[in-house]
């Protein structure tokens, strides 16, 4: 059921395609964020080449003209001020931009997302970062073939074991 137009204008959409797909991670950053649905960003590819502040690779979306290219992710409903807070979390290494995504029902929506400003194709993600991405993708019910591709991404162990444990502690395991 559609929400009234006045309510619909009260929020914005944010398309998460990396670690923020994990609701546990996203709601620690933006407590009021609400999962809306899974979504697809056509004509883009997912790369783990964004230069992270910790020296590892983070997710990025890159425009791509390969037939069928798409990045899947989670669409969150957030308030405008939440996007400003996300800008702070994402830091100076990302730029917020607006993209058009499609939901499983075929609805086309505008959403904010982040693209990397600096990349290095030699970087690999830390295992804990990849775990955030996989958990978010799995819980969102993204396509099995997409999740298999995510699982195949090479990663490295974080030399900072305390950070590794801290990052994964959000899952309460």
């Amino acid at each position: 059921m559609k929400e009234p137009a006045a309510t619909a204008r009260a929020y914005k959409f944010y398309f998460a395609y990396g670690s923020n797909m994990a609701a546990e991670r996203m709601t620690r950053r933006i407590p009021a964020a609400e999962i809306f649905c899974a979504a697809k960003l056509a004509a883009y590819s997912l790369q783990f080449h964004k230069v992270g502040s910790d020296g590892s690779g983070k997710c990025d979306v890159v425009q791509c003209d390969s037939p069928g290219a798409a990045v899947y992710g989670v669409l969150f409903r957030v308030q405008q001020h939440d996007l400003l807070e996300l800008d702070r979390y994402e830091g100076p290494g990302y730029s917020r931009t607006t993209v058009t995504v499609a939901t499983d029902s075929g609805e086309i929506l505008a959403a904010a997302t982040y693209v990397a400003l600096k990349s290095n194709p030699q970087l690999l993600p830390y295992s804990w970062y990849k775990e955030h991405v996989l958990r978010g993708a799995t819980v969102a019910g993204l396509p099995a073939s997409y999740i298999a591709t995510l699982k195949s991404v090479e990663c490295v162990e974080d030399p900072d074991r305390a950070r590794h444990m801290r990052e994964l502690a959000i899952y309460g395991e």
Side-chain angles (χ1 to χ4, degrees), residues 83-107:
L83 290 174
L84 298 174
E85 185 66 12
L86 265 178
D87 290 348
R88 189 178 70 75
Y89 274 106
E90 296 304 325
Y94 281 111
S95 174
R96 181 170 19 121
T97 190
T98 302
V99 293
T100 302
V101 297
T103 67
D104 285 342
S105 67
E107 191 172 8

Side-chain angles (χ1 to χ4, degrees), residues 137-152:
T138 302
V139 170
L142 300 186
S145 61
Y146 192 76
I147 292 172
T149 299
L150 293 174
K151 286 181 179 178
S152 73

Side-chain angles (χ1 to χ4, degrees), residues 48-102:
F48 284 77
H49 67 192
K50 188 259 181 192
V51 178
S53 61
D54 60 11
S56 71
K58 306 295 189 223
C59 286
D60 183 26
V61 290
V62 178
Q63 285 188 310
C64 175
D65 59 5
S66 296
V71 173
Y72 291 86
V74 177
L75 203 57
F76 287 91
R77 282 195 301 206
V78 297
Q79 298 294 322
Q80 180 66 39
H81 64 86
D82 293 330
L83 290 174
L84 298 174
E85 185 66 12
L86 265 178
D87 290 348
R88 189 178 70 75
Y89 274 106
E90 296 304 325
Y94 281 111
S95 174
R96 181 170 19 121
T97 190
T98 302
V99 293
T100 302
V101 297

